[in-house]
């Protein structure tokens, strides 16, 4: 494990209260790793404290956690990457066990699972966060045929191949959802390690907005279903439109058989339009599904050839 070049990635925005402890914990439990703190326009003493603690400090001006992580992935060269928040909510004392599991099982991504025990439910004081976590987890597991316990954890380990091949257009806290669905779509090896989550210390404020960020995550999920499972997405739309078309067509058909004449011509035209659009939607799904299959095959070639 020591022979691997390990990089600790800590994106930060106003984490002066906790960043020093997070860096110190990694220096204690993983002394041979390089610790990177990328500041995202903090207004407090985050940068000064991180430097004093011995971290390599850099900056990302584009606001948003995803923007920071993308820059880290692009600039930092390592064999193994550990992503963690700077708010001291994730335990560092188990990091050696996490790295061992990741290395021994040749994972592409290992997720720090907060939800398999009661620590997150007991510690997290933010309303609706437990509900949001369960909803997103259920949606992804159903649509992608997985059995992941924690979709939104910000504590993850990545392989070099994962980091150098990952790409996305998101900007903020939807990052964890995108990482999970990306790995599931391309058939990468994902494992989880149960951790004990703790809430932020008093005086430390979360940057998450329960409803705004929750809506963004749900919106991202359906956009990714459209992107990664186009036949399912457009096929569902086609089925709904086709069903509506048949329902609207009942009245004109009944009129024709009863009076040998259609009085509600606009209804007939509307129903035919719905059926035509449904067929176009289904055809679109078929075409995009073939493109998605080809993309997945090309991705595997690129991924396996990454040094």
């Amino acid at each position: 494990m020591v022979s691997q070049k390990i990089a600790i990635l800590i994106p930060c925005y106003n984490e002066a209260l906790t960043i020093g402890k997070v860096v110190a914990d990694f220096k204690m439990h993983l002394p041979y790793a390089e610790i990177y703190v990328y500041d995202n326009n903090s207004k407090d003493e985050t940068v000064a404290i991180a430097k004093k603690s011995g971290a390599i400090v850099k900056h990302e001006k584009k606001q948003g956690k995803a923007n920071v992580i993308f820059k880290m992935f692009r600039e930092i060269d390592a064999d193994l990457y550990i992503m963690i928040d700077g708010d001291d909510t994730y335990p560092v004392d188990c990091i050696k066990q996490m790295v061992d599991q990741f290395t021994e099982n040749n994972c592409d991504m290992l997720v720090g699972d907060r939800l398999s025990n009661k620590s997150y439910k007991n510690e997290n004081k933010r309303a609706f966060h437990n509900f949001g976590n369960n909803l997103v987890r259920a949606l992804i597991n159903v649509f992608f045929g997985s059995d992941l316990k924690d979709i939104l954890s910000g504590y993850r380990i990545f392989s070099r191949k994962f980091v150098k091949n990952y790409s996305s257009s998101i900007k903020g806290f939807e990052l964890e959802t995108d990482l999970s669905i990306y790995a599931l779509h391309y058939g990468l090896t994902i494992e989880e390690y149960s951790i004990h989550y703790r809430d932020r210390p008093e005086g430390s404020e979360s940057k998450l907005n329960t409803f705004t960020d929750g809506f963004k995550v749900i919106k991202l999920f359906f956009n990714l279903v459209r992107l990664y499972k186009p036949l399912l997405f457009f096929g569902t739309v086609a089925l709904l439109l086709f069903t509506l078309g048949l329902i609207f067509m009942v009245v004109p058909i009944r009129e024709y058989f009863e009076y040998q004449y259609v009085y509600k011509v606009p209804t007939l035209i509307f129903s035919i339009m719905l059926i035509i659009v449904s067929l176009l939607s289904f055809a679109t799904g078929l075409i995009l599904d073939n493109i998605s299959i080809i993309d997945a095959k090309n991705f595997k070639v690129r991924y396996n050839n990454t040094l």
Side-chain angles (χ1 to χ4, degrees):
M1 183 172 69
V2 178
S3 62
Q4 294 186 97
K5 184 178 181 182
I6 300 177
I8 314 298
L9 314 183
I10 312 176
C12 275
Y13 174 63
N14 291 339
E15 300 291 3
L17 189 65
T18 54
I19 187 59
K21 182 178 182 302
V22 175
V23 174
D25 285 347
F26 273 108
K27 283 187 170 294
M28 178 189 301
H29 294 284
L30 220 57
Y32 42 84
E34 293 183 339
I35 304 173
Y36 294 86
V37 172
Y38 274 50
D39 178 65
N40 197 204
N41 305 311
S42 294
K43 303 299 189 297
D44 59 11
E45 297 300 312
T46 296
V47 171
I49 295 172
K51 287 181 178 179
K52 185 177 180 181
S53 301
I56 301 169
V57 179
K58 296 187 179 183
H59 303 269
E60 171 53 60
K61 296 299 182 182
K62 294 179 182 177
Q63 199 66 38
K65 181 178 180 179
N67 287 324
V68 182
I69 292 298
F70 295 158
K71 188 171 185 178
M72 287 178 145
F73 281 3
R74 186 172 64 249
E75 294 183 348
I76 298 171
D77 189 58
D79 300 311
L80 186 150
Y81 300 77
I82 300 170
M83 181 183 80
I84 192 170
D85 294 336
D87 55 11
D88 195 33
T89 56
Y90 297 108
V92 178
D93 55 1
C94 60
I95 190 59
K96 287 184 179 179
Q97 290 84 352
M98 292 176 70
V99 171
D100 286 342
Q101 179 180 332
F102 181 90
T103 305
E104 290 170 7
N105 297 339
N106 196 27
C107 299
D108 294 297
M109 180 171 69
L110 179 76
V111 181
D113 166 25
R114 307 160 298 170
L115 306 181
S116 289
N117 55 63
K118 296 181 179 180
S119 62
Y120 186 80
K121 184 176 181 180
N122 294 336
E123 287 287 326
N124 180 40
K125 305 300 190 299
R126 287 162 289 183
F128 298 108
H129 275 224
N130 289 309
F131 171 78
N133 271 284
N134 291 331
L135 175 61
V136 173
R137 177 180 61 182
L139 286 172
I140 290 177
N141 283 337
V142 168
F143 277 83
F144 288 87
S146 58
D147 188 29
L148 297 178
K149 304 297 188 298
D150 193 349
I151 301 293
L152 301 178
S153 174
Y155 196 9
R156 300 177 184 236
I157 303 178
F158 307 100
S159 67
R160 175 182 175 80
K161 286 185 176 183
F162 187 104
V163 166
K164 297 308 178 183
N165 283 280
Y166 176 69
S167 62
S168 179
S169 59
I170 60 170
K171 299 177 182 179
F173 283 99
E174 312 99 302
L175 174 69
E176 288 79 7
T177 305
D178 190 71
L179 287 166
S180 298
I181 295 179
Y182 180 90
L184 288 170
H185 171 69
Y186 288 115
L188 304 181
T189 304
I190 310 172
E191 290 195 6
E192 295 177 302
Y193 182 94
S194 182
I195 62 172
H196 289 277
Y197 174 89
R198 53 180 175 262
D199 203 9
R200 284 173 170 267
E202 187 176 350
S204 176
E205 295 183 2
S206 172
K207 315 311 183 296
L208 287 172
N209 182 293
T210 301
F211 297 103
T212 302
D213 289 311
F215 174 77
K216 288 179 181 178
V217 168
I218 298 297
K219 179 183 176 183
L220 173 70
F221 166 76
F222 284 105
N223 278 332
L224 291 177
V225 170
R226 176 179 56 83
L227 177 66
Y228 292 143
K229 292 187 175 294
L231 185 56
L232 173 63
F233 181 85
F234 288 100
T236 302
V237 172
L239 180 61
L240 291 174
L241 292 176
F242 189 80
T243 303
L244 282 174
L246 291 181
I247 292 173
F248 278 101
M249 194 176 283
V250 168
V251 174
I253 290 176
R254 188 179 61 187
E255 285 182 341
Y256 179 79
F257 281 103
E258 188 172 347
Y259 307 110
Q260 284 72 52
Y261 190 84
V262 176
Y263 293 95
K264 294 184 172 58
V265 175
T267 303
L268 178 62
I269 294 173
F270 181 64
S271 65
I272 293 173
M273 286 177 58
L274 286 175
I275 291 174
I276 292 173
V277 173
S278 73
L279 295 175
L280 289 173
S281 179
F282 184 69
T284 301
L286 283 175
I287 295 169
L288 293 178
D289 188 60
N290 285 326
I291 294 174
S292 179
I293 291 171
I294 294 171
D295 171 69
K297 290 180 178 179
N298 291 335
F299 173 84
K300 282 295 184 180
V301 174
R302 295 196 307 271
Y303 197 83
N304 291 332
N305 288 334
T306 302
L307 299 177

